[in-house]
Every structure is written in C-alpha cells, then in structure tokens.
Amino acid sequence: MKLVTRMVLGFAAAGLVPLPVLAADYDPPVVVEEAPEYVPVEVGSGWYLRGDVGYVFERKAGTVRYRLFDATPPGSYSDAAFDSADFSTKAAFSAGFGYHFNDWLRSDVTVEGFRADFNGTTSSADPCDAGLPGTTSCRSEDSSSFSAIGAMVNGYVDLGTYAGFTPYVGAGLGYSLVRWKDLQNTTYCVGVDCPSAAPVATTSHPGQKDWRFTYALMAGVAYDISRNLKLDVGYKYRHIDGGDMFGWDNATALAGATGIQGRDGGFGTHEVKVGLRYDLW
C-alpha cells in the first residue's frame, strides 16, 4: 500500500497525475456577449418613381351654360344652355414619386393631364340676324379645345402579392388647370324662308382658364418585373369640376356686356392605364 502511495505522489510530482484543485483556486469563465450586427439604413428606402400613359375609352362633358346680352337700355342678361356638348380625347399621362409606408399602404404625388377637342350646338327661336325674316330661327355650331394639367395626391391599399402580382385600389385628390382656347361660333339660318344655307356669321369668343377641384378613383394590379421594377396596369376614373369657358365676342363686349359668357359643367373620363414603378431601394 505504501508502495502505491509513493508511486502516485511521484507521478503527481512529475505532472502525470492531476491533483484536486481547491475551491479557493477556481476562476469562473468570462462570457462576452456578441454585439448585434450593424445594418446600415439605405438612403431612399421606401421611395419610388412612377410614370403612366392612359387610353381614354369613355368621356362625358357636363352641361355648358352661357349668357345672352340685350343691349337695349339699361341692358339685361338671360341664361341658356347648349343643346349638345361633347369633347374627344384619346390619351392621358401622369408622372410622379411616392412612398411605401408598409407592405399595404403607399402614397404618391403626380402631375397628370390630357388635351381634348370640344364640339357643341345651340339653337334659338329668334333669327340669327335682324336682316333675316322673322319666320326663321337660328342654330349655331361651336368648336374649341382645351388642356387639363393637374397635381394630385393619391393613396393606395395593396392587397397582398400572389406569384408576383399585387392588386390594389386607390383614390386621389387635387386641382387641375383647365385652359380653354378661343371658341369659334358659327351661326346658320333655320327655316324655309332662309335666303341661303351658307353660314350667317362666325364669331370668336376668348377662351378662359382657371384651377378646378379634381378627384380620381383607381384599381389595378402591379407585376414584379424585377426586385425594383413593377409593371402597373389599371383603371382610372377622373372628375374635374366645371368652371369658366369663354368670354364675349368683341362686338357684344363693345355693346356693354361684361364678365364671363360661358361656363362648362366639368368633365369625367374613364381610362385604362399602363405604366412602370421603380423602387429606390
């Protein structure tokens, strides 16, 4: 037994057998927590650019009303309306920038508009001219054109992405600058007693311009072409309030007529649009 003890002590002295470590000599391990990984914030994250072109497949003009002036002292006005009023346009455009608040909500600011031609007709039970027979009446054909350029703030709800397709609905509010060109008014004698079928007279009425409240409703679907680029196809309804359209011709203004003669009743357009959205992230 003594021999075994001497052998253990000898191995221990040589470092071959570890001896128990006393509790007072124990050093606990030091644990160092790893710092969280730094993720830089991307400048421009959430922002996007957009551009669209649209095809107007249906359009409607409101009632065009105008005033008549009787120069007989002390001078008086009466109201009338166009028998027909229509405008034609094919193309519309918009461009702007927007921001994604989250995966469901986004908003953008756009500049948009269109150009259109206008045609209308009026009629009167009175002769077109004092020199025509009292048994005749008068008909006029009117033409002009206008542009509507507006600034809109739009909001959208994206309804989830499915195999790269994201349907959405949206609405917008803003103002449009409607700028009318001069209205050309051509009158024709109506009745069997008319001396000729040729125009009686052609007059020019100065076009007007003003800012008008505008709203829009949208729905469509976006397709992911790439991580940052989306193809946007949708429907848009736009309504522009009515406003000033044309003033008095020179002869009537010289006779004492003042103010605006004609006002349009506003416009509504239905269009299919296609465009691109580019995410800046």
Side-chain angles (χ1 to χ4, degrees), residues 147-199:
S147 63
I149 307 296
M152 302 286 291
V153 178
N154 310 291
Y156 307 88
V157 178
D158 290 326
L159 305 176
T161 300
Y162 312 91
F165 292 90
T166 305
Y168 66 86
V169 293
L173 298 173
Y175 280 88
S176 298
L177 176 61
V178 176
R179 188 190 302 267
W180 280 97
K181 290 189 176 181
D182 292 354
L183 178 79
Q184 304 301 319
N185 169 263
T186 303
T187 54
Y188 297 86
C189 179
V190 178
V192 294
D193 295 329
C194 290
S196 171

Side-chain angles (χ1 to χ4, degrees), residues 60-123:
K60 183 177 181 180
T63 301
V64 178
R65 304 197 65 85
Y66 63 99
R67 298 190 299 161
L68 297 170
F69 177 68
D70 185 354
T72 304
S76 62
Y77 298 90
S78 59
D79 293 327
F82 273 54
D83 296 335
S84 67
D86 185 35
F87 73 99
S88 60
T89 183
K90 296 295 185 183
F93 73 90
S94 69
F97 63 91
Y99 184 77
H100 292 273
F101 296 103
N102 52 45
D103 290 339
W104 300 92
L105 297 175
R106 59 185 171 88
S107 179
D108 55 41
V109 177
T110 56
V111 175
E112 55 188 56
F114 61 90
R115 297 179 61 86
D117 295 323
F118 171 83
N119 289 281
T121 60
T122 67
S123 59

